[in-house]
Amino acid sequence: MRCIAEPAEASRVAEPPTLAAPRPLRGFRPPDVPGIASIVSEALHEHYDPSLYGSLSAEWPSGFLVATDERDAPVGFLLGVNQVPAEGRVLMFAVERGWRGTGVGHALMDAFLERCRLRQFRRVTLEVRVSNVGAIRFYTRYNYSVIDLLRSYYSDGENGYHMARDL
Ligand SMILES: CC(C)(COP(=O)(O)OP(=O)(O)OC[C@H]1O[C@@H](n2cnc3c(N)ncnc32)[C@H](O)[C@@H]1OP(=O)(O)O)[C@@H](O)C(=O)NCCC(=O)NCCS
């Protein structure tokens, strides 16, 4: 499973939407799958078996955060996993294009880090395409730093950065 993202330039909307009220966050629910799959397809260019989301959620339900619109439909999500003791990993993280730049990503990351702290994790890791400068800047502002270069990490041959931050 790889955190795959489009190049940053294409990921930014030309005109950010008007300032939005903070979005409520909640846990993943099975009816979210079509909405989340649509975000994954557009933002991460991936198509996973729909059952994947439920099975990953079952392992650590609190690590799967969903931001919703006024109709409770997903507008962004962060799927975190705990595969290494005392360590969280951001497996998938994306916000619907029209909602980017309105604070949804920050809300999701803040909440995820808080949940990692509650579980007394010592570190959070993630992978990102080297071309995804927007996401890398976002992560750098969250004190993630590059700990490794992952050569040909992505299926199209692009290198990835392994990033981590302490808690
Ligand atoms: C990376 C990503 C998840 C960030 O989500 P986001 O909702 O756009 O993030 P935010 O809106 O919280 O913050 C983005 C920027 O908008 C700014 N911003 C936050 N709230 C804002 C507001 N209310 N008004 C205007 N700007 C705002 C932030 O300062 C931030 O600026 P920065 O990038 O210079 O730090 C999103 O861009 C995305 O889905 N990208 C495509 C998929 C991807 O690359 N995922 C990561 C894979 S590793």
Side-chain angles (χ1 to χ4, degrees):
M1 180 62 52
R2 290 157 184 200
C3 184
I4 297 176
E6 66 192 32
E9 289 311 310
S11 75
R12 297 302 297 248
V13 288
E15 291 294 331
T18 50
L19 210 67
R23 302 311 311 162
L25 301 184
R26 59 166 172 75
F28 165 79
R29 297 172 189 159
D32 294 332
V33 168
I36 287 176
S38 164
I39 296 169
V40 168
S41 169
E42 181 269 312
L44 305 178
H45 307 295
E46 288 291 343
H47 301 272
Y48 298 116
D49 188 301
S51 66
L52 177 80
Y53 302 102
S55 55
L56 287 170
S57 165
E59 290 174 22
W60 179 24
S62 304
F64 196 163
L65 290 152
V66 179
T68 60
D69 66 12
E70 59 286 342
R71 292 171 297 120
D72 201 39
V75 299
F77 75 101
L78 191 158
L79 201 180
V81 292
N82 170 217
Q83 298 164 322
V84 173
E87 200 168 287
R89 178 184 170 201
V90 179
L91 196 61
M92 292 187 225
F93 177 39
V95 172
E96 196 175 291
R97 184 178 293 277
W99 285 87
R100 290 179 201 158
T102 67
V104 173
H106 279 273
L108 286 164
M109 184 59 74
D110 286 345
F112 179 67
L113 293 174
E114 190 51 35
R115 285 171 189 213
C116 288
R117 286 188 194 99
L118 281 173
R119 285 181 59 130
Q120 300 187 317
F121 290 170
R122 290 194 295 271
R123 194 168 90 135
V124 177
T125 66
L126 58 87
E127 299 82 26
V128 60
R129 285 178 181 267
V130 295
S131 65
N132 194 350
V133 291
I136 293 167
R137 183 181 59 209
F138 181 98
Y139 295 138
T140 302
R141 289 195 180 168
Y142 268 93
N143 293 323
Y144 289 91
S145 47
V146 174
I147 55 169
D148 205 3
L149 175 68
L150 306 167
R151 293 191 188 281
S152 302
Y153 183 73
Y154 294 99
S155 52
D156 62 2
E158 182 169 352
N159 294 338
Y161 286 132
H162 194 196
M163 301 185 80
R165 61 156 285 169
D166 293 333
L167 291 175

